[in-house]
Amino acid sequence: MKIGELSRATGTNIETIRYYERIGLLPAPARTDANYRSYGDAHRARLRFVRHSRELGFTIDEIRSLLDLSDHPERDCADADRIASAHLEQVEAKIAQLSALRDELTRIVGRCRGGLAGDCRVIEALGDHGQCGGAH
Amino acid sequence: MKIGELSRATGTNIETIRYYERIGLLPAPARTDANYRSYGDAHRARLRFVRHSRELGFTIDEIRSLLDLSDHPERDCADADRIASAHLEQVEAKIAQLSALRDELTRIVGRCRGGLAGDCRVIEALGDHGQCGGAH
DNA sequence: GCTTGACCCTGTAGTTGCTACAGGGTGCAT
DNA sequence: ATGCACCCTGTAGCAACTACAGGGTCAAGC
């Protein structure tokens, strides 16, 4: 299939596919006589793997390691589990951090009673970190 | 005070302070004879406002608007409240998204029973979006 | 008076993960 | 033959910094 078809089949931008090839995440496919990229099922499966991993928030480097494992079925699965577990921890940390932000933003927004910017509690709270109770 | 002192007083990288000046977020300060930047209390307060807002996840453009309001106390505070509310919504959406990711990652990681990468459930799950139950 | 070290300056390039052109070639239908 | 959809390469842009390179300034200590 040509790059446009692969793009539609995986929901990936064409430029992104070429970008992945450029950085070595996808192997360079064969070319037609007109120098068009020609992909097979293996390319599609690999790209789906990459896109799904990206949707889950894995970095390109993490995906590189995961693909490497996937290419070497004789290796230890524990590596994949380690990468995924570490990523899960990061996601949980990010959720905790954002929850703290949400709480503080809720507090700040709730204080607005309208009026002029000169008396604005929102602006005041942004300038004065001491009001936060050490949340961040 | 010199840039190093301002840096320590606000916990901001020196390069970041110069960057903020370059993009017009902080006003250019006076200079000493040796061409060193010389800051006053107003600069420090403004930088604290910027850093605190950044910690809360506001973008530079949002901060520009908030600073603009802060510089014009006669304007309507509702603008500040609108920016903060919109940002709060984004934070809540991000938390919801990350929570879904966490759930799926937990599911994926929990399936690993050790063994070889060829049989790895983690790698399998990454390649097969159909296992996700349409969560994302 | 000379060196050492901490500090400051400008300007440019790198980071992540794409996305968006510019400027051209290919292939098929009308 | 001409329009249009599609493909190619190469480069530049985004956010919000961060990291140099290559140089100037200043106070302390010998």
Side-chain angles (χ1 to χ4, degrees):
Chain A
M1 82 194 85
K2 284 189 288 185
I3 199 168
E5 293 169 78
L6 181 63
S7 165
R8 282 186 295 276
T10 60
T12 312
N13 197 319
I14 287 179
E15 321 262 29
T16 305
I17 297 173
R18 287 198 280 247
Y19 168 71
Y20 285 161
E21 180 183 327
R22 199 161 62 244
I23 64 172
L25 208 55
L26 294 181
R31 297 287 182 131
T32 67
D33 288 351
N35 200 31
Y36 288 7
R37 288 172 179 81
S38 180
Y39 297 98
D41 291 352
H43 288 103
R44 190 178 49 205
R46 198 178 179 87
L47 180 52
R48 283 201 172 128
F49 185 104
V50 170
R51 289 312 294 170
H52 192 197
S53 302
R54 285 292 301 134
E55 279 170 17
L56 289 173
F58 288 94
T59 65
I60 298 282
D61 264 2
E62 286 167 338
I63 295 170
R64 239 184 259 278
S65 302
L66 290 166
L67 280 171
D68 195 46
L69 279 172
S70 166
D71 290 340
H72 296 91
E74 78 284 3
R75 293 214 190 129
D76 190 352
C77 175
D79 285 348
D81 196 57
R82 200 171 27 71
I83 293 169
S85 297
H87 182 56
L88 175 56
E89 264 180 49
Q90 281 172 32
V91 169
E92 280 171 343
K94 190 76 191 172
I95 289 173
Q97 190 203 343
L98 283 178
S99 298
L101 289 196
R102 182 197 47 202
D103 293 348
E104 192 185 337
L105 281 169
T106 304
R107 206 173 48 69
I108 289 175
V109 168
R111 291 177 60 193
C112 182
R113 297 279 172 274
L116 298 182
D119 308 313
C120 182
R121 300 296 176 186
V122 174
I123 285 171
E124 187 194 310
L126 288 172
D128 185 4
H129 183 91
Q131 297 184 4
C132 305
H136 61 120
Chain B
M1 81 194 85
K2 284 189 286 183
I3 199 167
E5 292 169 79
L6 182 62
S7 165
R8 283 187 294 277
T10 60
T12 311
N13 197 318
I14 288 179
E15 321 263 27
T16 304
I17 297 173
R18 288 198 280 248
Y19 167 71
Y20 286 161
E21 180 183 328
R22 202 161 61 244
I23 64 172
L25 207 56
L26 294 182
R31 298 285 183 132
T32 68
D33 287 352
N35 200 31
Y36 289 6
R37 288 173 180 80
S38 180
Y39 297 97
D41 290 353
H43 289 102
R44 189 178 50 205
R46 198 177 179 91
L47 180 52
R48 283 200 172 129
F49 185 103
V50 170
R51 289 312 295 170
H52 192 197
S53 303
R54 285 292 303 131
E55 279 170 18
L56 290 173
F58 288 94
T59 65
I60 300 281
D61 265 0
E62 285 167 338
I63 295 169
R64 241 185 257 278
S65 302
L66 290 167
L67 280 172
D68 194 47
L69 279 171
S70 167
D71 289 340
H72 297 89
E74 77 285 3
R75 293 215 190 129
D76 191 352
C77 173
D79 285 348
D81 195 56
R82 201 169 27 70
I83 293 169
S85 298
H87 182 56
L88 175 55
E89 265 180 48
Q90 282 172 31
V91 169
E92 281 171 342
K94 189 76 191 171
I95 289 173
Q97 190 203 342
L98 284 178
S99 298
L101 289 195
R102 181 198 49 203
D103 293 349
E104 193 186 336
L105 280 169
T106 303
R107 207 173 46 71
I108 290 175
V109 167
R111 291 177 59 194
C112 183
R113 298 276 173 275
L116 299 182
D119 308 312
C120 182
R121 300 294 177 186
V122 175
I123 285 171
E124 188 194 309
L126 287 172
D128 185 4
H129 183 92
Q131 299 183 3
C132 304
H136 60 119

